[in-house]
Amino acid sequence: MAALTEMFQEYKGSKMAVYGLGTETERVLEEMDQEFQIIGLLDGYQTTGTVFEKPVISMEKAVHEGVRLILVAARPGSCKAIAKRIGNICAENKIRLFDIRGKDLCCVQRSVYDFRDRDGITKQQLLRKIEEAEIVSFDLFDTLLMRRTLFSTDLFELVDCRLRKQGIFIEDFSEKRTRCEKELSKYGAPALTEIYSYMGDFYKLSKLNPQEAALLEWQIEWELIIPREDVCQVLKTAGEMGKTVYIVSDSYYTKQQIITLMKRYDITQYKEVLISSEYGTGKTQSLFRILREREGEKTYLHIGDDLIADVESAKRNGMEAIQLYSGIDLLEMCGYMDLWDPIDSLADRIRAGIFVSKILNSPFQFETDFRKISVSRAFDIGYLFFAPLITDFVIWFFRKVKQEQIHNVFFCARDGYLIKKLYDAISGSKESVYFLTSRTAAIRAGIEDEADLRYVENMNFSGTLEEQLRERFGIDVEGENKRTDQGSGGLLSYAKEILERVSINRRAYGTYIKGLRIKEGDIAFFDFVAKGTSQMYLERLLENHLKGFYFLQLDVEEMRRHKLDIEPFYGEEERCSSVIFDDYYILETILTAPTPSVNGFDNEGLPMYAEETREEESIRCIEDAQEGIKEYFETYLKICPESMMGINKRLDETFLSLIHKIRILEEDFLGLKVEDPFFNRTTNLVDLL
């Protein structure tokens, strides 16, 4: 902060404004107000009044007054949101928009997937610093713990959603909650109940019970918080070194709540917890002085994420300080990995927050030679790259079934294996059916005449006619059964044998279907990526109408000629603009069941499976990736209110595209093969990355 006056020397003769009403703004004014022409303060929620003896003005007034520079006094993540809010206005009116670190907030940062051009501390470097100190203090939020949302204020929107569900409607709740905290923070460090008491009195909110609102916010916080595991381990190591460890945190929660939260994640190796709400003062005020008064003249090291509240404030109190970047800091360094533009809603910020809390959980991203962001577990691959898109599809599928009041839901093997689990979780029902089928099984039981044989043969098989007969129909024509005079007949040369076998297969399939106890009405028929071949032939075996809900449908026009009822998640209009067509083979490979493909049924209606061609390591890798998808899905459903769950394919596809940009270290995943026995084709998955 000492360099602010030098950093913005060229604007000394120009009008400027400061964006923000917090303590950072107060420090900016202390340093710059004598030399610079600061005409007012801006805020996202307040446009009138006086703060720090400066008028709060609107953006319109700033433009009208001829402001040439707006200096944003906020944390990096908030700066990004502010830039999105007013960046276009600044550009149109030739107003420069900078943060207090000297970064041009209107300059589009290129997305990168490594930290080679950034400086940061390694774990070993930090441990050496800890060895040199007698007293080691840690910040809590964004250092030892982090939220699974993009911004801290997302918490307030979640509180608002829960209150609305309880019948308590407060217009502009998040803005009011933020404004009240800022107002009280001018005079100290308020507790959460104090913030809600002030909010209720100031806005005359008779329905708002301060104690209940504070408890509700705490409960939601509890759901959002996870540990930054590497930093928690550093704290434990500091304790094992014999260091006196403190937790020093700005928080409106009570000391007991903070202790309970830390105990949940086994953060127990500390001497004392200094919380701003307990002392009525924060880190930028007197909290570090209180620590020093307790321990006396010793050597101190404070570790935290905030450059001002943690680093500069600690140094101002005679302490050594180290900055560990928060998840949002690291994401910003990467140019947001192309995620920023597609983010439009609270649900999107939750998805981004879940992503950041996993891939950038550790601040120690500076350990390797090239400092590349990498993923080393199949579980994380599923969680990070595939889960957001699969989650949106399942939500869409669930809503479609509910909207059309369909009571029979079939998930086709094998792509429906995981999707059924996710659907059952969101629907709260176990009545959906994992329907044993495949293109092969459907054709073997569903074809009726030579026209069907021609249709099947037009789906080009990579192999000989004899291999096609064996793979697609289970008919072996080697030896004396092989016909030498086939001419150009192809499959039609074996029409008699095929149709005789089909008659047997149809009866066996019918036995299986009778055991399913299908209700009256349509069947919601899930297939992942398909033309509709299975649906076309299975409709001949089932009495109910099949309403297909696919992730993606291929050859749409051809299936329309067959009058199939199919609604895909990805429609025809998205075919050219979406990247999904480049990556659905990878998704299919990950979604498949751990069992082999079904070829048909025996006379008792029991399934007959094809020979398993995958290695055990490959199946285990797929199961691990599916567990990652499942955990993400459950996390998202727990955090995000159902009313806020919008579908954002653009954001989903951005997550999916990162699998091509982030370094994958999981050898079993890279060794997977994309198999399609119906076409007799195999592709190495690594060739698709």
Side-chain angles (χ1 to χ4, degrees):
M1 291 289 288
L4 274 178
T5 53
E6 289 81 10
M7 199 181 299
F8 297 103
Q9 275 288 322
E10 63 180 289
Y11 296 97
K12 268 193 173 181
S14 303
K15 291 181 180 179
M16 63 177 287
V18 179
Y19 197 111
L21 304 180
T23 53
E24 292 90 348
T25 295
E26 186 175 23
R27 288 191 297 278
V28 170
L29 293 174
E30 287 174 357
E31 181 174 345
M32 301 183 71
D33 200 24
Q34 296 299 316
E35 299 183 42
F36 290 80
Q37 210 179 145
I38 301 174
I39 69 163
L41 309 180
L42 295 161
D43 183 68
Y45 311 121
Q46 185 176 341
T47 56
T48 59
T50 302
V51 177
F52 306 128
E53 300 181 358
K54 286 287 182 183
V56 180
I57 62 176
S58 66
M59 191 64 197
E60 291 79 5
K61 185 171 178 61
V63 172
H64 182 263
E65 292 290 329
V67 165
R68 298 269 61 86
L69 170 69
I70 294 175
L71 191 58
V72 181
R75 301 185 66 173
S78 299
C79 288
K80 190 72 175 177
I82 292 165
K84 192 167 190 176
R85 188 181 304 141
I86 66 171
N88 288 339
I89 299 173
C90 290
E92 290 168 5
N93 293 279
K94 297 181 180 179
I95 300 173
R96 302 302 301 275
L97 185 65
F98 281 83
D99 69 9
I100 53 177
R101 299 156 192 84
K103 180 180 177 182
D104 185 344
L105 297 177
C106 287
C107 179
V108 178
Q109 185 177 343
R110 182 176 62 89
S111 289
V112 295
Y113 307 94
D114 58 62
F115 297 97
R116 68 181 70 191
D117 296 326
R118 299 286 183 169
D119 293 325
I121 195 167
T122 68
K123 188 185 295 185
Q124 289 305 314
Q125 289 170 338
L126 179 59
L127 290 173
R128 285 195 291 272
K129 286 285 187 182
I130 289 173
E131 285 179 354
E132 298 169 2
E134 296 172 276
I135 311 297
V136 181
S137 60
F138 287 82
D139 171 49
L140 186 60
F141 293 101
D142 292 322
T143 300
L144 285 163
L145 305 174
M146 68 187 300
R147 297 177 180 93
R148 288 177 291 191
T149 57
L150 198 58
F151 303 130
S152 59
T153 51
D154 295 333
L155 170 64
F156 307 153
E157 291 193 43
L158 290 169
V159 173
D160 185 27
C161 288
R162 295 277 182 93
L163 288 173
R164 288 173 180 270
K165 199 171 182 181
Q166 296 174 11
I168 301 173
F169 297 88
I170 299 173
E171 187 177 359
D172 299 324
F173 173 88
S174 184
E175 289 84 349
K176 288 182 170 72
R177 164 67 179 80
T178 302
R179 184 175 181 180
C180 289
E181 181 182 341
K182 286 181 178 180
E183 184 65 27
L184 290 180
S185 295
K186 296 175 190 174
Y187 313 105
L192 192 53
T193 51
E194 292 174 329
I195 295 171
Y196 278 113
S197 292
Y198 179 82
M199 182 175 169
D201 293 341
F202 187 82
Y203 291 105
K204 297 179 173 55
L205 304 172
S206 59
K207 289 187 177 181
L208 185 67
N209 182 303
Q211 287 73 29
E212 291 179 2
L215 179 59
L216 177 61
E217 184 169 324
W218 165 250
Q219 290 169 342
I220 296 172
E221 184 81 277
W222 183 271
E223 295 170 2
L224 294 177
I225 288 291
I226 62 168
R228 299 190 82 188
E229 295 175 359
D230 282 351
V231 187
C232 292
Q233 184 57 53
V234 167
L235 182 146
K236 289 181 181 179
T237 302
E240 291 165 359
M241 289 178 178
K243 306 300 178 182
T244 300
V245 176
Y246 277 80
I247 306 298
V248 181
S249 178
D250 286 337
S251 178
Y252 35 70
Y253 298 124
T254 66
K255 179 178 178 180
Q256 189 54 52
Q257 284 175 322
I258 293 298
I259 290 172
T260 303
L261 183 61
M262 292 192 295
K263 188 175 180 181
R264 178 188 186 189
Y265 296 113
D266 196 31
I267 304 172
T268 57
Q269 291 180 293
Y270 55 84
K271 179 179 179 179
E272 185 56 278
V273 178
L274 303 183
I275 300 297
S276 61
S277 63
E278 294 285 322
Y279 293 91
T281 186
K283 287 182 288 189
T284 60
Q285 298 157 331
S286 304
L287 205 55
F288 285 120
R289 180 171 55 80
I290 292 171
L291 171 59
R292 294 215 55 165
E293 289 173 352
R294 283 185 173 228
E295 292 294 337
E297 291 302 316
K298 297 179 181 177
T299 54
Y300 292 82
L301 174 67
H302 179 69
I303 300 164
D305 70 291
D306 191 282
L307 190 60
I308 297 169
D310 289 305
V311 177
E312 293 186 3
S313 297
K315 288 181 176 179
R316 198 164 55 246
N317 283 274
M319 302 168 66
E320 182 71 24
I322 294 292
Q323 182 183 20
L324 293 184
Y325 295 119
S326 67
I328 192 70
D329 289 337
L330 293 168
L331 184 66
E332 187 188 28
M333 288 179 187
C334 298
Y336 279 76
M337 300 189 202
D338 292 324
L339 293 171
W340 183 254
D341 285 343
I343 292 175
D344 292 325
S345 65
L346 173 62
D348 295 344
R349 295 195 299 276
I350 290 171
R351 277 186 280 198
I354 293 172
F355 173 83
V356 172
S357 69
K358 175 68 71 174
I359 198 164
L360 298 175
N361 183 276
S362 174
F364 304 117
Q365 300 286 334
F366 309 92
E367 311 281 336
T368 62
D369 291 340
F370 299 105
R371 299 180 177 183
K372 288 186 176 180
I373 301 173
S374 61
V375 177
S376 58
R377 299 194 307 159
F379 179 96
D380 293 341
I381 293 171
Y383 188 100
L384 293 165
F385 307 127
F386 304 141
L389 183 56
I390 297 303
T391 294
D392 264 0
F393 170 74
V394 174
I395 291 170
W396 173 85
F397 184 94
F398 167 70
R399 289 173 176 171
K400 285 292 180 183
V401 171
K402 188 176 180 180
Q403 177 185 327
E404 302 201 15
Q405 299 181 331
I406 300 175
H407 303 294
N408 300 299
V409 183
F410 280 17
F411 292 95
C412 290
R414 295 182 293 168
D415 294 346
Y417 176 77
L418 175 64
I419 302 297
K420 172 178 161 52
K421 292 181 181 179
L422 305 183
Y423 174 84
D424 289 348
I426 195 173
S427 68
S429 171
K430 302 294 181 184
E431 295 185 1
S432 67
V433 174
Y434 181 60
F435 186 69
L436 296 177
T437 193
S438 65
R439 258 177 313 206
T440 299
I443 285 170
R444 288 184 180 185
I447 64 173
E448 295 174 341
D449 51 32
E450 292 185 355
D452 288 327
L453 288 176
R454 282 191 287 270
Y455 172 82
V456 172
E457 193 152 41
N458 284 336
M459 293 187 284
N460 296 325
F461 183 86
S462 297
T464 65
L465 175 60
E466 290 74 24
E467 289 170 336
Q468 181 178 187
L469 284 165
R470 183 167 56 250
E471 189 63 49
R472 289 182 170 176
F473 297 100
I475 296 174
D476 191 345
V477 293
E478 297 296 329
E480 61 184 30
N481 294 322
K482 184 175 180 180
R483 294 180 187 161
T484 56
D485 185 18
Q486 295 172 17
S488 59
L491 288 179
L492 294 179
S493 302
Y494 292 93
K496 183 173 180 294
E497 290 88 341
I498 292 172
L499 294 175
E500 286 175 355
R501 183 69 63 88
V502 166
S503 179
I504 298 169
N505 293 339
R506 185 179 289 123
R507 286 194 297 272
Y509 217 142
T511 303
Y512 164 71
I513 290 171
K514 286 177 184 176
L516 297 179
R517 299 178 186 174
I518 303 170
K519 301 172 186 176
E520 291 185 5
D522 290 354
I523 295 173
F525 186 82
F526 163 80
D527 211 338
F528 189 62
V529 177
K531 287 170 57 176
T533 300
S534 296
Q535 180 174 335
M536 180 170 65
Y537 287 118
L538 288 168
E539 280 190 330
R540 301 176 182 182
L541 309 179
L542 291 154
E543 295 179 0
N544 304 60
H545 172 71
L546 299 186
K547 170 67 178 182
F549 293 108
Y550 295 5
F551 179 81
L552 175 66
Q553 186 185 10
L554 306 176
D555 296 334
V556 176
E557 287 300 326
E558 182 178 354
M559 290 299 102
R560 281 182 183 152
R561 288 196 293 271
H562 291 284
K563 295 183 170 49
L564 293 186
D565 186 3
I566 297 171
E567 184 175 352
F569 181 56
Y570 274 93
E572 289 179 86
E573 69 281 358
E574 297 165 302
R575 183 177 296 271
C576 296
S577 59
S578 173
V579 299
I580 197 64
F581 290 91
D582 298 326
D583 291 326
Y584 73 78
Y585 276 125
I586 302 174
L587 283 167
E588 276 189 313
T589 303
I590 291 299
L591 290 179
T592 192
T595 52
S597 182
V598 176
N599 279 344
F601 300 84
D602 63 18
N603 291 332
E604 296 179 356
L606 298 175
M608 297 185 296
Y609 292 97
E611 181 181 352
E612 182 60 79
T613 57
R614 296 168 297 178
E615 301 290 337
E616 288 184 13
E617 293 81 3
S618 296
I619 296 174
R620 188 162 53 247
C621 175
I622 290 169
E623 290 178 319
D624 288 345
Q626 290 186 6
E627 282 301 309
I629 296 171
K630 186 169 178 285
E631 182 170 305
Y632 176 100
F633 183 83
E634 292 169 350
T635 298
Y636 180 70
L637 260 59
K638 184 177 181 181
I639 293 175
C640 189
E642 184 179 349
S643 61
M644 304 296 289
M645 291 180 182
I647 307 298
N648 189 337
K649 295 177 188 174
R650 186 180 169 209
L651 180 59
D652 296 336
E653 291 170 24
T654 304
F655 285 124
L656 181 60
S657 69
L658 293 177
I659 198 170
H660 304 288
K661 301 168 183 175
I662 289 173
R663 190 180 181 192
I664 305 297
L665 301 176
E666 168 58 89
E667 292 297 331
D668 288 337
F669 177 80
L670 296 174
L672 290 176
K673 296 184 183 299
V674 181
E675 299 181 351
D676 192 337
F678 187 80
F679 289 97
N680 196 31
R681 297 170 190 160
T682 300
T683 305
N684 294 324
L685 185 139
V686 72
D687 293 336
L688 302 175
L689 294 177

